[in-house]
Amino acid sequence: MKFLPQLNIKRNFSCGNMMNFKKFSIKEVKSDNFGEIDGVLVGHAHDPDENTGCSVVIFETGAVCGVDVRGGAPGTRETDLLKPENAINKIHAITLSGGSAYGLSASHGVMKYLEENDIGYDTEFAKVPIVPAAVIYDLNFGNPRVRPDEEMGYRAAMTASSEHAPDGNTGAGTGATVGKMCGFNNAMKGGLGTASVRLPNGLIVSAMIVVNAVGEIRDHISGEVIAGMTDGDDHLANSQKNFFYPDEDIAAVVANTTIGVICTNAQLTKAEMTKVAQMSHDGLARTIYPIHTPFDGDTIFAASTGIIQSSVNIVGTLAAEVVAEAVLNGVKQAKSAKGYLAYSQVNRKKQGS
């Protein structure tokens, strides 16, 4: 066997002054504050009695946005407008909501609020706010006849600020559940989670995720299953056994979907933000099993305020990282409701058979 001769290549390129980053770790710069980016405001509203809600992200000066839809049963609004080849280059808000398709009406309230504040795409006769939206199915959780509507969307927009709201049973995460491989009776409480990372050069990448998956939730670092299907005795059940050898058809369980928003202050194009949205789904794949099924409507928006010079590779890689952290935070901070157990109540060390 012949080997190629060793090439004497001079490595005279620079990769940012690596000496300054020798001890750099993403873990050291993570936080749970989604509203760290200037000009990005976050608001939530919910019905405490009927257990549903919505969340809104407002961009005071607009944002370049892309989207990637991976699930087979999405409920969305204005996603076609976000395709790189289409006309509008900036959006003004994103709405995440419970209520299934009914919940899309919450974005009308967000539009009303933005119009009142003179925010929108300037046409000849009026400013039209561009507000993409995505919804989860939570009609199984509270009163199916009570859904987020225009009034609730308006209320969420009114409360929008840079202050960090608690993760868990917040906004669109109010009615979220996980671990529904064999129906709702053995599911656990999901929720809304956030995570953010700031690099030394000022680049920020943040995620807000509503965790409402059919699958179980796994810690992407340790591999531990932290939430999913229970065995009826406050223990996690063996979901893989029940998934691959079910007593009932999983097709009957269609009330799912994990949705979210990536925000960054990187200066990227619409096409590049679309790629960031695609890369960010890796964070879902690392923490939710199974994911992107025909019964999920998994959708992630990626929005940029365009200040810091960076690349798609860096922003997309960090986006996947903060998405994974946000998924875990949403489940770990969720509180028990309507009889659904929360992370803090389940014995995760002893899995049933």
Side-chain angles (χ1 to χ4, degrees), residues 150-161:
E150 181 174 334
E151 183 276 329
M152 186 180 288
Y154 185 88
R155 186 154 41 95
M158 282 188 63
T159 67
S161 73

Side-chain angles (χ1 to χ4, degrees), residues 178 188 215-218 225-229 236 331 343 348:
V178 300
M188 283 180 61
E216 66 185 15
I217 310 302
R218 300 176 178 179
V225 177
I226 68 167
M229 188 175 67
L236 286 172
V331 170
Y343 166 83
R348 293 169 302 284

Side-chain angles (χ1 to χ4, degrees), residues 12-286:
N12 57 0
F13 58 86
S14 171
C15 190
N17 191 356
M18 293 298 294
M19 293 298 294
N20 293 338
F21 288 82
K22 279 170 69 175
K23 296 183 179 180
F24 173 74
S25 169
I26 291 178
K27 288 286 187 184
E28 296 171 5
V29 291
K30 279 182 182 173
S31 77
D32 298 339
N33 186 5
F34 180 80
E36 289 187 293
I37 299 173
D38 290 340
V40 176
L41 308 177
V42 183
H44 307 281
H46 71 282
D47 186 319
D49 298 318
E50 307 301 344
N51 290 277
T52 190
C54 65
S55 302
V56 59
V57 182
I58 294 176
F59 306 97
E60 292 182 301
T61 59
V64 176
C65 188
V67 66
D68 190 46
V69 180
R70 296 284 178 95
T76 58
R77 177 183 188 270
E78 297 278 42
T79 51
D80 275 357
L81 196 61
L82 302 182
K83 291 179 180 179
E85 69 270 22
N86 287 341
I88 301 298
N89 196 46
K90 282 195 172 184
I91 66 166
H92 306 99
I94 296 172
T95 304
L96 305 179
S97 180
S100 190
Y102 295 106
L104 291 172
S105 63
S107 58
H108 300 163
V110 178
M111 288 186 68
K112 179 181 178 181
Y113 173 84
L114 294 175
E115 181 185 29
E116 291 175 356
N117 287 273
D118 198 35
I119 297 174
Y121 177 72
D122 200 356
T123 69
E124 183 179 355
F125 301 102
K127 285 189 177 180
V128 181
I130 307 301
V131 185
V135 295
I136 66 168
Y137 186 103
D138 61 358
L139 303 181
N140 60 294
F141 194 75
N143 183 344
R145 294 192 176 275
V146 177
R147 289 90 54 162
D149 55 12
E150 181 174 334
E151 183 276 329
M152 186 180 288
Y154 185 88
R155 186 154 41 95
M158 282 188 63
T159 67
S161 73
S162 59
E163 298 296 318
H164 178 61
D167 290 345
N169 301 21
T170 300
T174 302
T177 50
V178 300
K180 293 165 278 190
M181 285 83 83
C182 290
F184 300 119
N185 292 338
N186 300 100
M188 283 180 61
K189 188 69 183 71
L192 179 145
T194 59
S196 182
V197 60
R198 179 194 293 265
L199 297 194
N201 67 349
L203 175 68
I204 301 173
V205 182
S206 302
M208 180 170 71
I209 305 295
V210 182
V211 190
N212 187 57
V214 67
E216 66 185 15
I217 310 302
R218 300 176 178 179
D219 187 308
H220 61 297
I221 303 299
S222 68
E224 177 191 11
V225 177
I226 68 167
M229 188 175 67
T230 64
D231 62 1
D233 193 26
D234 294 357
H235 296 156
L236 286 172
N238 186 330
S239 62
Q240 290 194 42
K241 175 183 175 181
N242 286 277
F243 179 73
F244 291 111
Y245 303 98
D247 293 328
E248 59 182 279
D249 188 0
I250 189 175
V253 187
V254 295
N256 313 294
T257 291
T258 295
I259 56 178
V261 179
I262 300 293
C263 280
T264 180
N265 59 356
Q267 188 174 10
L268 297 175
T269 67
K270 195 174 177 184
E272 289 171 327
M273 290 310 296
T274 299
K275 176 54 69 175
V276 169
Q278 293 170 356
M279 294 175 71
S280 71
H281 274 272
D282 289 354
L284 300 184
R286 294 169 191 169

